[in-house]
Amino acid sequence: MATKVKREIDVGEAVGILAAQSIGEPGTQMTMRTFHYAGVAEQVPTGLPRLIELVDAKKEPKKPLMDIYLSPEYAKDPKKARTIADDLECTILSQVAEISEDFVEKKIDIVLDEKNLEFEGLTVEDVKKTIKAAGGTVTSSGNRVAVKPNTTSLRLIRRLTNKLKGMHLKGVEKIKRAAIIEAKDGIFIRTYGSNIAEVMKDPRVDAKRVFTNDVKEVERVLGIEAARNTIIRETKQVLDLQGLNVDVRHIMLLADAMCMDGAVKSVGRHGLSGEKAGVLARAAFEETIKHLITAAVKADDDKLIGVTENIIVGQTVPVGTGTVRLKFKH
Amino acid sequence: MAVKRKKKRLKLPGQKTSVFLNGRLIGFHESGPSLARELREKRRAGTITHEMNVHYNRGTDEVYINTDSGRARRPYIVVEDGKSKLIPSLIEQLKTGELSWSKLVKLGVIEYLDAEEEEGAYVALTEPELLPAHTHLEIDPVSICGVTVSVLPYPEYNSSPRITMACSMAKQSLGTYTVNFNLRTDSRGHIMYYPQQPLVRTRPYKILKFAERAAGQNFVVAITSMQGYNMGDAIVMNRSAVDRGLGRSVFYKTYEAEERRYPGGQKDKFEIPAVTTQGYREEKAYRHLGEDGIIVPESRVSTKDVLVGKTSPPRFLEEMSVFGVMEEKKRENSLAMKSGEEGTVDSVMITDSLSGNRLVKVRMRSIKIPEAGDKFASRHGQKGVLGLLLPQEDMPFTKDGIVPDIIINPHAIPSRMTVGHLLETLGAKAACLSGKFADGTAFHGDKEEEFKAVLRENGFEEYGEEILYDGVTGVQIKSKIYIGVTYYQRLHHLVSNKMHVRSRGPVQLLTHQPTEGRAREGGLRFGEMERDCLIGYGASMLLRERLLEESDRTYELVCDKCGSIAIKDHIKNREYCPLCDSTSLHYVEMSYAFKLLLDEIKSLHIFPRLLMRDKAR
């Protein structure tokens, strides 16, 4: 009980500022360190760039990644895990075939690479079936397939070509690569590309332990609570990786603020700060004139609730010692 | 999408090399390289002027010939077949005076290359490393350094960033920047009292005759900690040495006043302003002025004393008085000392300005004795701020009674890797003992071993360390301490020219907030991040005091009815709202900046209202 009371936050504590400073101060050191790594190729953004990505609530991270843990049966055996990984990796037509357009004959030539097909565990017949699904008249001889579109419009032919190039042959869509990582707590698969909805359907996967770094995807598939946890987990990970010790509760507050009204919002003009209650507070942040004019058109009131507004006006700030008010009763 | 162009230029069969003279295409040649070679040979033979430079660009297959003015060129020794053309016999002749530099250039032994020709040259730094492929030889390895680096001792022993810093600091050192400083009226100038030439010099130092206008002094330096007063690049200095004139300098500052002419035939006038003058200062301020309103030389003046009394015609023409004669109201416009400055009037000059007006220049002089906060630096990028002036009797001393002039912290050395600093200290110490200057020229200065030998011969520790005794207790200090002589420069960042405090002071006209900057006696900004800290701490009242009460607080009348700012008519002694004529008003405490914001919002055609209610409900 004693610890519980001790750990409780006092009334009027400026938790937002504290969280911002607690994340921001070590963040400045992070900037100085990460930019020394510039030039290392093919890296998942870490450090400040990643932190910015999270806080900005980007639609898709620069490098979507998934960590997939497996059901007990597969979690011990790397070979079995490998089969899952191979099944997850997605293959598209352009990876196994040479696709060229013939605008004179108004057709599309596809030359399948049998070696690649074998490597991917596909047969020419499988691929032909998929190609047929795309539409057009399909004729084939051996590993050569010709598609005669139903149209003569060059633009539509090009559209069909692009569709064919991206035809999904096997595996889970969007998963570009899958690798097996043997960790202390069992084997897991790390994939480049993220698609939790599909991966979780696989019975060989431990559906409760499928992680992605794509916050928006989590929000879409699993809901806002899961998205909040993802933000916390990812942010914490970035900071831990840099050896920065930030109390989780600061990060939790940040995540709470971002997920407060049921959808993940970014921190900034288009999200949190842009939706502050006070006209003056918004005007003080960015796009001053826009906020003033819309406020004038709508005849908005500023109730002087927030910190910024009160500083502008020259009053005490409703935080800390400023939370105390005198009340008279007549 | 942009297509990447191939860099390589396609040469068509039979295409000839383009030849450019001074950047203009003048023709074509069968073979670029042979043209360039031929021209070069002719230049060396003296058939063509030595001011011509050729360059063959293999990538573009073009020959550039330059003869125009304004090219930066530098000399090299010509190398042919891996052999320097400056052969020993020529050197002998040079020594006897039979040969001169210009003769060597004529002989084609030495030639000047411009930036373009240098591009195609393969230059060896020293003679032993010459290879058959080399085209030129550097006359001296030091010549790869510029003027500023070449006067630094042992730069090759230091890390490059420190050399850069040493260079930029050498430019800030006080010395004798010009010999006729006494005749000049520079707006600012520092002259060192007893400049010395360094004990460790370089050859370029002598060539540049730097010793004649030296900028620094040889300090006895001990490298050890000193009661924590030399932490973080601070320096402990010997007060007694300072009293004897160490690091002392004069600071000259020139003030100017001009009798301007105004449209309408009016003119400023140098005089002691009459008491009736508008903006008359207190009488005390004018006490040093002579009859002509100009200050008397050698008078000691302090803050805000008037140097040149000046009156100007009024800014606006006044209305005619009842009697038809206008009484001349004059405006005080004197030249006064800036706040916080003091000194002695060194000289007063009266001349005419370019526009023919009378011009007075007053040169102030003040002696700047080293004090805590002044900046000093060695020639190795080791800068520091004076942290403590310690009397000689409290300084550590050696068995010979040598007391260091300054004590620097050993932590300044390892991470910065300024080995040259230590070497200079050793060299200068040896120079003191042998009575001969040491040479610290880059790449071929005197060697450490030579210094060690001198020290040994004179009964000193060869590593430059000595046993020191605590000046206060006389107790022997346990460890040996590195002590020697180092050339130190006093840099022109003097606290007395920078120190600034304010409790109350002027405010800006527009915002009613405190002014900014030392020159305007300004306040220190309590910025956004500082604000955040007070919010984070919850110090709401303190924050309000900083941002409002100590800044731009005002009380504005606000109309209850329409919420706009009301006015008080002082003549009729009536308070009313100019918009709705209401007299139901209240004084509201707010920041003047907020009132200004309301005004600016109004200028956007937006009408802000202030809706009020009682504070306590």
Side-chain angles (χ1 to χ4, degrees):
Chain A
M1 184 60 199
T3 33
K4 196 211 159 212
V5 174
K6 238 199 235 166
R7 287 181 172 227
E8 262 176 13
I9 299 288
D10 294 326
V11 174
E13 191 78 81
V15 284
I17 291 266
L18 284 183
Q21 290 186 340
S22 303
I23 298 171
E25 191 270 339
T28 54
Q29 296 175 39
M30 196 159 61
T31 332
M32 290 185 266
R33 265 182 272 167
T34 38
F35 283 119
H36 287 293
Y37 291 131
V40 179
E42 276 285 320
Q43 237 200 357
V44 183
T46 53
L48 197 71
R50 175 66 182 144
L51 203 61
I52 292 170
E53 209 171 76
L54 283 164
V55 162
D56 283 352
K58 285 268 166 64
K59 279 227 177 65
E60 202 176 60
K62 218 172 184 179
K63 285 261 155 55
L65 288 182
M66 273 208 298
D67 280 353
I68 304 161
Y69 287 83
L70 308 172
S71 57
E73 196 188 327
Y74 294 88
K76 296 268 156 56
D77 189 352
K79 273 184 194 160
K80 281 186 178 174
R82 184 71 249 176
T83 57
I84 308 179
D86 288 344
D87 289 349
L88 289 178
E89 247 178 67
C90 122
T91 310
I92 54 171
L93 190 59
S94 60
Q95 281 176 311
V96 293
E98 200 71 41
I99 302 165
S100 55
E101 296 150 318
D102 187 339
F103 288 124
V104 181
E105 299 286 325
K106 303 265 190 294
K107 63 172 183 152
I108 302 160
D109 292 320
I110 302 165
V111 184
L112 298 170
D113 185 334
E114 278 169 290
K115 252 190 197 165
N116 271 350
L117 279 178
E118 201 189 314
F119 184 74
E120 298 288 347
L122 291 164
T123 61
V124 177
E125 290 311 308
D126 292 339
V127 181
K128 278 180 191 164
K129 233 180 263 169
T130 329
I131 293 173
K132 266 176 199 153
T137 346
V138 178
T139 50
S140 66
S141 64
N143 67 339
R144 288 179 171 276
V145 184
V147 181
K148 186 102 183 156
N150 304 329
T151 167
T152 53
S153 151
L154 294 184
R155 200 196 290 168
L156 292 178
I157 294 175
R158 172 56 63 85
R159 194 179 288 171
L160 185 65
T161 319
N162 285 338
K163 193 178 166 192
L164 279 168
K165 274 184 183 168
M167 290 284 307
H168 176 226
L169 296 176
K170 80 173 247 272
V172 177
E173 255 181 277
K174 284 186 182 168
I175 308 257
K176 285 170 200 135
R177 238 177 295 148
I180 294 179
I181 294 178
E182 291 179 50
K184 275 178 195 156
D185 54 339
I187 294 167
F188 68 90
I189 296 172
R190 174 162 291 172
T191 63
Y192 171 36
S194 170
N195 189 350
I196 30 171
E198 288 303 314
V199 170
M200 281 170 77
K201 282 181 195 161
D202 195 320
R204 295 170 297 177
V205 154
D206 182 357
K208 285 179 183 166
R209 290 197 294 160
V210 177
F211 299 101
T212 176
N213 64 357
D214 188 338
V215 175
K216 285 273 177 173
E217 189 185 13
V218 173
E219 186 196 358
R220 223 164 31 237
V221 178
L222 299 172
I224 190 74
E225 285 292 337
R228 187 193 88 108
N229 286 329
T230 309
I231 294 173
I232 296 169
R233 190 171 47 92
E234 287 292 320
T235 314
K236 186 82 185 131
Q237 201 188 5
V238 170
L239 296 171
D240 285 348
L241 208 71
Q242 301 279 329
L244 304 174
N245 196 10
V246 176
D247 195 299
V248 236
R249 285 173 292 176
H250 295 307
I251 301 165
M252 284 162 75
L253 184 76
L254 172 75
D256 283 345
M258 287 173 71
C259 302
M260 189 162 54
D261 55 5
V264 178
K265 275 187 307 187
S266 65
V267 179
R269 194 172 15 172
H270 304 292
L272 274 179
S273 306
E275 289 170 23
K276 277 187 192 169
V279 180
L280 288 175
R282 273 181 280 128
F285 177 57
E286 266 169 20
E287 301 174 313
T288 311
I289 293 181
K290 184 185 115 187
H291 287 297
L292 288 180
I293 288 175
T294 45
V297 170
K298 294 186 199 160
D300 272 347
D301 281 353
D302 194 321
K303 301 281 186 201
L304 302 185
I305 295 163
V307 172
T308 321
E309 300 95 296
N310 280 298
I311 289 183
I312 292 173
V313 172
Q315 290 187 344
T316 52
V317 166
V319 142
T321 50
T323 43
V324 186
R325 281 280 135 85
L326 244 188
K327 273 201 172 183
F328 275 110
K329 230 173 192 178
H330 294 287
Chain B
M1 217 175 84
V3 183
K4 265 194 182 169
R5 284 212 187 84
K6 276 190 180 168
K7 259 193 171 171
K8 213 175 157 189
R9 216 177 85 133
L10 287 173
K11 199 180 174 187
L12 304 169
Q15 189 179 336
K16 293 172 182 172
T17 307
S18 320
V19 181
F20 294 85
L21 177 65
N22 294 336
R24 192 176 292 158
L25 182 66
I26 51 160
F28 300 92
H29 193 268
E30 294 294 340
S31 161
S34 65
L35 172 68
R37 203 182 318 120
E38 202 176 318
L39 281 168
R40 218 165 275 145
E41 275 163 15
K42 290 207 164 150
R43 177 182 64 195
R44 285 173 192 171
T47 330
I48 304 179
T49 171
H50 64 84
E51 284 177 2
M52 185 257 342
N53 286 105
V54 224
H55 172 54
Y56 172 67
N57 188 328
R58 216 184 311 164
T60 54
D61 190 32
E62 285 164 342
V63 169
Y64 307 104
I65 305 166
N66 287 307
T67 60
D68 49 351
S69 56
R71 286 168 297 136
R73 299 156 84 238
R74 62 186 293 251
Y76 293 93
I77 298 169
V78 176
V79 169
E80 268 167 17
D81 307 320
K83 293 255 162 58
S84 163
K85 284 190 88 177
L86 187 68
I87 47 176
S89 62
L90 287 177
I91 296 175
E92 275 314 308
Q93 281 179 290
L94 270 174
K95 277 181 185 163
T96 55
E98 284 170 60
L99 263 178
S100 64
W101 177 267
S102 50
K103 196 79 200 293
L104 282 179
V105 176
K106 257 184 207 157
L107 284 174
V109 173
I110 281 179
E111 67 181 0
Y112 283 84
L113 300 190
D114 69 350
E116 225 159 10
E117 185 164 355
E118 193 236 73
E119 208 63 40
Y122 185 30
V123 185
L125 204 58
T126 55
E127 201 162 355
E129 69 189 45
L130 271 178
L131 295 172
H134 281 120
T135 61
H136 294 86
L137 173 64
E138 203 72 70
I139 292 169
D140 188 311
V142 206
S143 57
I144 66 164
C145 304
V147 173
T148 336
V149 181
S150 63
V151 295
L152 304 178
Y154 297 114
E156 77 272 30
Y157 286 87
N158 289 332
S159 58
S160 70
R162 290 287 143 185
I163 301 175
T164 319
M165 293 164 78
C167 284
S168 47
M169 280 186 285
K171 294 173 199 165
Q172 301 171 5
S173 58
L174 308 188
T176 323
Y177 66 97
T178 173
V179 188
N180 67 344
F181 61 88
N182 221 5
L183 304 170
R184 294 165 61 106
T185 49
D186 295 302
S187 60
R188 260 156 233 270
H190 292 273
I191 300 289
M192 182 166 253
Y193 257 64
Y194 309 107
Q196 297 172 347
Q197 59 171 317
L199 289 171
V200 180
R201 301 180 300 186
T202 64
R203 290 225 301 260
Y205 189 92
K206 286 171 245 172
I207 296 165
L208 293 165
K209 295 190 177 147
F210 206 165
E212 286 165 29
R213 43 195 74 204
Q217 287 171 334
N218 294 290
F219 286 15
V220 176
V221 182
I223 303 182
T224 180
S225 59
M226 191 64 214
Q227 297 167 18
Y229 278 98
N230 59 5
M231 276 193 289
D233 274 337
I235 288 171
V236 174
M237 198 177 263
N238 187 332
R239 158 160 282 143
S240 315
V242 170
D243 291 343
R244 286 178 217 120
L246 188 85
R248 189 171 295 204
S249 65
V250 222
F251 174 53
Y252 290 106
K253 185 175 177 179
T254 307
Y255 285 87
E256 270 182 39
E258 189 186 338
E259 261 183 355
R260 268 173 206 238
R261 277 170 216 279
Y262 296 91
Q266 287 164 305
K267 230 182 120 188
D268 287 342
K269 197 181 173 202
F270 291 150
E271 61 182 347
I272 302 176
V275 189
T276 51
T277 321
Q278 247 178 38
Y280 184 75
R281 300 160 197 249
E282 48 180 347
E283 206 188 327
K284 210 179 118 203
Y286 303 102
R287 69 187 187 279
H288 295 298
L289 301 187
E291 272 174 44
D292 54 358
I294 299 168
I295 198 150
V296 180
E298 292 305 322
S299 41
R300 304 256 318 138
V301 285
S302 55
T303 305
K304 288 181 177 169
D305 280 348
V306 171
L307 297 176
V308 179
K310 189 167 80 169
T311 53
S312 302
R315 233 168 258 175
F316 306 103
L317 279 179
E318 273 176 51
E319 286 170 37
M320 296 290 268
S321 68
V322 192
F323 304 105
V325 188
M326 206 170 71
E327 200 195 325
E328 191 68 19
K329 255 289 190 194
K330 280 181 160 179
R331 200 156 49 91
E332 144 80 355
N333 195 11
S334 296
L335 173 75
M337 291 286 283
K338 293 260 168 67
S339 71
E341 285 180 356
E342 52 180 35
T344 311
V345 177
D346 192 61
S347 67
V348 175
M349 268 183 173
I350 304 172
T351 40
D352 289 337
S353 72
L354 282 178
S355 43
N357 300 327
R358 213 146 74 97
L359 178 76
V360 174
K361 286 188 173 190
V362 180
R363 188 169 67 198
M364 298 298 309
R365 147 173 48 89
S366 54
I367 297 167
K368 300 288 185 185
I369 298 166
E371 56 178 324
D374 285 354
K375 194 178 177 187
F376 292 84
S378 77
R379 291 177 293 166
H380 306 271
Q382 289 285 10
K383 57 178 173 226
V385 163
L386 187 47
L388 175 70
L389 278 165
L390 203 59
Q392 180 173 346
E393 55 269 30
D394 293 339
M395 291 284 263
F397 55 89
T398 69
K399 67 173 199 304
D400 305 306
I402 298 289
V403 181
D405 292 322
I406 60 168
I407 301 177
I408 61 166
N409 198 297
H411 291 297
I413 309 292
S415 60
R416 289 164 194 166
M417 298 179 283
T418 53
V419 184
H421 190 283
L422 303 179
L423 201 51
E424 188 202 332
T425 307
L426 199 71
K429 191 176 182 180
C432 286
L433 295 169
S434 65
K436 287 175 202 144
F437 284 107
D439 182 17
T441 312
F443 307 115
H444 45 64
D446 292 344
K447 293 283 170 284
E448 185 194 350
E449 303 307 323
E450 300 165 30
F451 302 146
K452 278 183 179 173
V454 174
L455 288 172
R456 243 185 337 247
E457 281 163 27
N458 289 280
F460 277 85
E461 229 294 8
E462 61 175 8
Y463 295 107
E465 292 172 329
E466 282 178 52
I467 290 169
L468 262 63
Y469 299 88
D470 188 315
V472 180
T473 61
V475 173
Q476 180 181 326
I477 295 170
K478 273 184 184 165
S479 56
K480 286 180 177 175
I481 286 163
Y482 193 71
I483 182 167
V485 176
T486 316
Y487 193 64
Y488 262 80
Q489 299 153 322
R490 188 178 187 201
L491 309 185
H492 67 216
H493 303 282
L494 310 176
V495 249
S496 56
N497 288 335
K498 292 190 169 181
M499 195 188 66
H500 172 53
V501 283
R502 159 176 173 144
S503 50
R504 285 181 269 161
V507 291
Q508 278 163 15
L509 195 65
L510 180 70
T511 60
H512 288 197
Q513 287 172 356
T515 51
E516 196 193 323
R518 186 180 119 103
R520 273 164 286 166
E521 219 186 309
L524 296 177
R525 187 181 159 86
F526 189 83
E528 216 174 324
M529 294 172 89
E530 289 75 16
R531 180 206 72 155
D532 288 347
C533 288
L534 288 196
I535 298 171
Y537 189 67
S540 202
M541 304 302 164
L542 178 61
L543 183 68
R544 200 179 75 118
E545 181 176 293
R546 276 288 113 207
L547 262 31
L548 186 73
E549 289 160 31
E550 305 282 77
S551 177
D552 58 348
R553 171 164 66 178
T554 47
Y555 293 95
E556 290 291 336
L557 266 180
V558 177
C559 170
D560 286 348
K561 232 168 104 189
C562 69
S564 62
I565 304 251
I567 50 175
K568 175 168 187 180
D569 187 332
H570 282 274
I571 297 167
K572 293 177 187 159
N573 197 20
R574 194 172 85 93
E575 293 171 351
Y576 65 100
C577 173
L579 275 183
C580 61
D581 267 337
S582 161
T583 49
S584 149
L585 312 167
H586 282 95
Y587 276 103
V588 175
E589 180 192 38
M590 63 177 82
S591 83
Y592 191 82
F594 179 61
K595 191 237 154 199
L596 203 66
L597 173 71
L598 293 180
D599 293 342
E600 295 219 3
I601 289 176
K602 279 175 214 156
S603 76
L604 285 173
H605 279 207
I606 297 171
F607 179 44
R609 296 157 175 273
L610 299 176
L611 307 178
M612 298 178 291
R613 62 161 191 242
D614 282 334
K615 214 170 188 183
R617 274 182 307 161

